[in-house]
Amino acid sequence: MTIPTETAGQAPDESSALWLARLRADGAEREAALGELHELLLRAARFEIGRRRESLSHLRPGDHEELACQTADDALLAILAKLDDFRGESRFTTWAYKFALLEAGVKVRRRAWQGKEIPLEEEAWATFAGAARAERGAEDRELFAAIGEEIERSLGARQREVLVAIALNDVPIDVLAERLHSNRGAIYKNLHDARRKLRAALAERGFELDLYLDRKEER
Amino acid sequence: MSEPTGRRRGDGALLDALLGPGVPELGCDECFAELDRYVELELARREVDDLVPGMRAHLAGCPACAEEYRSLRDLLGADEVRAPR
């Protein structure tokens, strides 16, 4: 997908340029900038971990702060490795924050699923199909039955595995990526392809999905 | 063995999760590359859907990227409260 970059190529704002200069300097100036950046990342990490405290309720007191420090350390390394990628299209601090939020999000999701098994695909689908039969009206039952059939018939094994794990079992994409020795981008591609195939198969069977989804939103 | 959770959602959310946005969208790597710019443009009340096409659809389809988007937006919002420009 091509993205128009209205702000591409523009010089960074004054504050961002100063960050870059200090991080590329030598000696005490760089050390001071690294310390300030680490503080900034720690603030973002604490913010994110605080938001997700519920999913980390099994952690001991002190573990949250340790996780925040690990997050800030890892985000700092990632930023320094990608400093040349900063295009000046946002403030440097906004650009830096996203690395800390990504690191924190991934770490929290993985901690929350540590030691948990991913539910078996067949088991998940059987439960879903049973609930569809029991709880829905005739029109809905028809659609959900067709979805079940097309998941079995139209999708490849990896597409089916990814779709069921993420869409039915709420397995976080980073957790699934780790278990499948893959990465978020590749797993999302599997998910995207599965959804596209499923939509096409249902459309071929005459289901007007957009109308159906609109009606669901109105309820 | 943990219990599958999808069936507890409403039909609309479940169908969204199964079928996705159904329009052209960015991938996760492109989303991450654009996230800082997108959030700043949005907070500046610019027409983000024209400036970063495919981003909104991706955020609707990818729960993890959507969480990071909301976090960055809210973190910048908190910064604004702490130190208004």
Side-chain angles (χ1 to χ4, degrees), chain A residues 1-7 43-44 47-48 51-52 87 89-91 94-95 97-99 101-102 105-106 109 113 116-120 123-125 127-128 131 135-136 140 143-144 147 151 163 166-170 173-174 184-185 188 191-192 195 198-199 202 209 212-213 216-217, chain B residues 1-7 9-12 14-37 39-41 43 46 50-55 57-58 60-65 67-68 70-76 78-80 82 85:
Chain A
M1 180 148 205
T2 308
I3 302 158
T5 49
E6 186 198 55
T7 48
R43 174 175 137 62
F47 178 86
E48 185 64 5
R51 280 163 79 98
R52 296 159 184 263
R87 297 172 298 187
E89 293 172 9
S90 68
R91 285 173 287 177
T94 305
W95 182 77
Y97 274 156
K98 74 176 177 179
F99 286 87
L101 297 175
L102 172 71
V106 171
R109 288 183 205 109
W113 275 73
K116 273 197 216 175
E117 282 182 54
I118 292 179
L120 292 175
E123 194 176 295
W125 187 250
T127 309
F128 168 79
E135 293 169 12
R136 294 176 168 88
D140 292 3
L143 175 63
F144 278 84
I147 288 174
I151 285 176
L163 181 72
I166 293 176
L168 289 185
N169 288 322
D170 291 333
I173 195 166
D174 302 309
R184 186 192 292 191
Y188 193 79
L191 179 66
H192 179 264
R195 287 165 162 173
L198 193 54
R199 275 181 174 267
L202 292 168
L209 294 175
Y212 198 93
L213 288 164
K216 290 289 178 199
E217 270 179 22
Chain B
M1 175 74 62
S2 61
E3 284 294 308
T5 56
R7 66 189 183 280
R9 281 172 290 179
D11 285 355
L14 183 53
L15 283 177
D16 283 342
L18 284 165
L19 301 173
V23 292
E25 59 174 302
L26 301 184
C28 293
D29 293 342
E30 292 168 309
C31 172
F32 185 72
E34 293 294 332
L35 188 61
D36 47 320
R37 172 173 170 252
V39 171
E40 284 197 357
L41 287 168
L43 290 174
R46 302 287 301 279
D50 295 337
L51 295 169
V52 194
M55 184 73 157
H58 182 70
C62 181
C65 289
E67 281 182 6
E68 283 143 23
R70 286 192 292 271
S71 295
L72 184 57
R73 183 196 61 193
D74 295 351
L75 180 58
L76 292 185
D79 273 358
E80 290 287 322
R82 273 162 35 120
R85 284 185 295 173

Side-chain angles (χ1 to χ4, degrees), chain A residues 133-177:
Chain A
R133 279 195 299 275
E135 293 169 12
R136 294 176 168 88
E139 189 188 6
D140 292 3
R141 277 205 303 272
E142 197 186 346
L143 175 63
F144 278 84
I147 288 174
E149 288 161 16
E150 294 303 335
I151 285 176
E152 288 296 324
R153 188 165 59 192
S154 302
L155 305 187
R158 173 57 75 98
Q159 291 169 348
R160 190 162 49 241
E161 181 180 26
V162 167
L163 181 72
V164 169
I166 293 176
L168 289 185
N169 288 322
D170 291 333
V171 179
I173 195 166
D174 302 309
V175 173
L176 189 62

